[in-house]
Amino acid sequence: MAPSLPPLSLYVHIPWCVRKCPYCDFNSHKAGPEVPEQAYVHALLRDMQDETARSHGRPLSSIFFGGGTPSLFSAQAIGDILQGAERHFGFAANIEITLEANPGTAEQGRFHGYRAAGVNRLSIGVQSFNAQHLHHLGRIHSGREAIDAVAMARAAGFDNFNLDLMHGLPGQTPEDASADLTQALDLAPNHLSWYQLTIEPNTEFFRRPPVLPIEDTLADIQDVGSALLSENGLHQYEISAYAKTNQQAAHNLNYWRFGDYIGIGAGAHGKLSHWHGNQLQIHRQWKTRLPEHYLKRTDNIATQRFEAGSEVIEAQDLPLEFMMNALRLNDGVEQSLFQQRTGLALDTIAAPLKHLREQGLITPDRLQPTALGSRYLNRLLPAFEAV
């Protein structure tokens, strides 16, 4: 193992959903009558095998099954993928293994199976408990089903789970948003992703935009909600993530700390580092996007890889890439991490750091935004462009 390389995570993309939500810009596709589970697991294992050399002997510190809706896959399929991951890479002690699940696909027996297969954390896509807002979002579950899904997760042995909740929804008032948060808090999650609905290109909402709350209402929702979360022991550690003490998502923290991650599955992205002589080189890779094309790669595995493209992150782009991630964290990172993760001396960003610290936007001894810096992050980051 190369001790100077970052920790390594694995992202597994399951691209099918029961129905495509109108706000979703992820690589997800409506499932047909049957999902090609066995063929896709076979492709994932071959994809994983291709990536083994890039691990440079590092065990996986976390695994995240995202989508799409990973809970459409059986526990057997998830277990087969995890066995392959352990065989190819090995697992670090106390590895975090998260699987996204939607309440509309929740089954208690399936949750028990996921837990037995090695999944130790669930991320449940609630989005709202309000029937009208769920309808506007195109969700297939009810608020009652979301509550039941959490009960099923607990019964299956999951004591570590995240709830995904959105705010700034069409027609939502601060009282509506507070009611959603209050219900979520009653379920006692140790982690909550609470984020504002944004309209993204290539979505149904982009083509037919809904009427969203005005800026003053959005500000009121944010203020009231943040206070409510803090009062209930869920503290903000990242722009849209709140957690109980020592319950932050390890997989997400690896992203924000500019760690490495392998991405397998249709459209999955990865970021990997290696030493080329005395220079640290960092690459991004992405896999072929359409599930049917991804599956066909297994037919010609000797001549075709699952990778659709890759690029080297040039040295002049690394400061911005690093800071875009690190400054999302309320506590930022130690200054020494900049050189460890980019291979560049801290002096590379000395000028913009000095300027931003004089403006009170970054703290003196860490790469950490001040409260003011967090409010104006999009204005702060351009200082690190091509430094």
Side-chain angles (χ1 to χ4, degrees):
M1 174 178 174
S4 57
L5 291 176
L8 183 67
S9 296
L10 176 68
Y11 174 75
V12 183
H13 191 71
I14 310 293
W16 292 282
C17 288
V18 174
R19 182 169 67 189
K20 179 83 171 178
C21 296
Y23 58 85
C24 177
D25 68 336
F26 296 147
N27 182 32
S28 58
H29 306 266
K30 183 178 178 179
E34 290 187 16
V35 175
E37 179 180 280
Q38 186 174 357
Y40 195 72
V41 170
H42 176 64
L44 288 173
L45 294 174
R46 296 299 297 265
D47 191 354
M48 204 183 295
Q49 183 177 336
D50 279 358
E51 296 286 357
T52 306
R54 290 172 169 170
S55 71
H56 295 285
R58 290 171 291 175
L60 298 174
S61 59
S62 67
I63 300 174
F64 194 97
F65 289 87
T69 306
S71 53
L72 288 176
F73 270 34
S74 68
Q76 178 66 53
I78 298 301
D80 289 346
I81 296 165
L82 289 177
Q83 288 175 23
E86 187 168 24
R87 183 170 65 251
H88 286 298
F89 305 110
F91 289 174
N94 301 316
I95 184 173
E96 176 192 272
I97 302 175
T98 303
L99 182 135
E100 287 184 337
N102 283 342
T105 60
E107 299 175 10
Q108 185 164 336
R110 186 163 285 196
F111 280 0
H112 277 282
Y114 294 146
R115 190 70 187 88
V119 177
N120 54 28
R121 183 175 182 269
L122 289 179
S123 181
I124 302 174
V126 173
Q127 314 311 348
S128 177
F129 295 93
N130 181 293
Q132 182 179 1
H133 295 147
L134 287 169
H135 175 72
H136 286 153
L137 293 173
R139 305 296 290 174
I140 63 171
H141 68 270
S142 67
R144 181 70 252 175
E145 285 175 315
I147 294 169
D148 290 345
V150 172
M152 291 178 195
R154 289 194 184 283
F158 286 99
D159 56 5
N160 186 8
F161 66 92
N162 167 68
L163 298 182
D164 267 352
L165 203 63
M166 300 175 75
H167 62 88
L169 308 179
Q172 190 179 48
T173 65
E175 292 75 21
D176 292 336
S178 293
D180 266 351
L181 273 177
T182 299
Q183 177 60 79
L185 291 166
D186 284 346
L187 299 174
N190 30 17
H191 191 284
L192 199 144
S193 298
W194 189 59
Y195 52 97
Q196 184 179 321
L197 170 64
T198 56
I199 307 300
E200 302 291 350
N202 302 315
T203 65
E204 184 64 25
F205 274 178
F206 186 79
R207 291 185 288 273
R208 297 180 179 84
V211 178
L212 301 180
I214 62 174
E215 288 297 323
D216 285 350
T217 301
L218 291 173
D220 288 343
I221 289 173
Q222 184 69 50
D223 290 344
V224 171
S226 296
L228 187 59
L229 287 161
S230 181
E231 289 166 8
N232 284 271
L234 285 164
H235 304 292
Q236 187 177 25
Y237 70 94
E238 186 263 335
I239 289 174
S240 58
Y242 300 74
K244 292 183 178 178
T245 302
N246 297 323
Q247 296 294 309
Q248 298 94 335
H251 192 83
N252 292 348
L253 284 176
N254 192 43
Y255 285 158
W256 309 139
R257 291 171 178 164
F258 216 52
D260 279 359
Y261 52 96
I262 288 170
I264 63 169
H269 285 239
K271 174 233 164 211
L272 290 161
S273 311
H274 73 277
W275 285 100
H276 184 72
N278 61 356
Q279 183 179 4
L280 186 66
Q281 288 195 346
I282 301 173
H283 295 75
R284 294 198 188 282
Q285 304 86 24
W286 52 95
K287 303 300 168 66
T288 188
R289 187 174 187 276
L290 293 176
E292 57 268 30
H293 293 170
Y294 180 83
L295 287 168
K296 285 180 180 177
R297 295 295 175 105
T298 56
D299 298 334
N300 301 291
I301 197 68
T303 57
Q304 287 185 305
R305 297 186 64 199
F306 294 95
E307 186 176 291
S310 65
E311 63 183 5
V312 176
I313 305 177
E314 300 295 339
Q316 66 266 24
D317 297 324
L318 281 170
L320 177 60
E321 291 275 348
F322 179 89
M323 297 301 277
M324 281 175 61
N325 287 280
L327 293 182
R328 287 182 64 101
L329 295 169
N330 282 22
D331 290 339
V333 297
E334 294 283 350
Q335 294 189 132
S336 59
L337 197 68
F338 179 79
Q339 182 168 359
Q340 292 172 26
R341 299 290 159 87
T342 66
L344 303 174
L346 186 63
D347 287 348
T348 308
I349 56 172
L353 278 181
K354 181 176 184 295
H355 175 67
L356 294 168
R357 282 169 171 160
E358 288 171 350
Q359 292 184 302
L361 298 174
I362 290 183
T363 58
D365 301 317
R366 288 178 65 82
L367 302 179
Q368 176 185 6
T370 61
L372 183 63
S374 292
R375 287 178 58 191
Y376 297 105
L377 197 56
N378 288 338
R379 299 182 192 177
L380 181 157
L381 290 171
F384 298 98
E385 290 180 350
V387 295

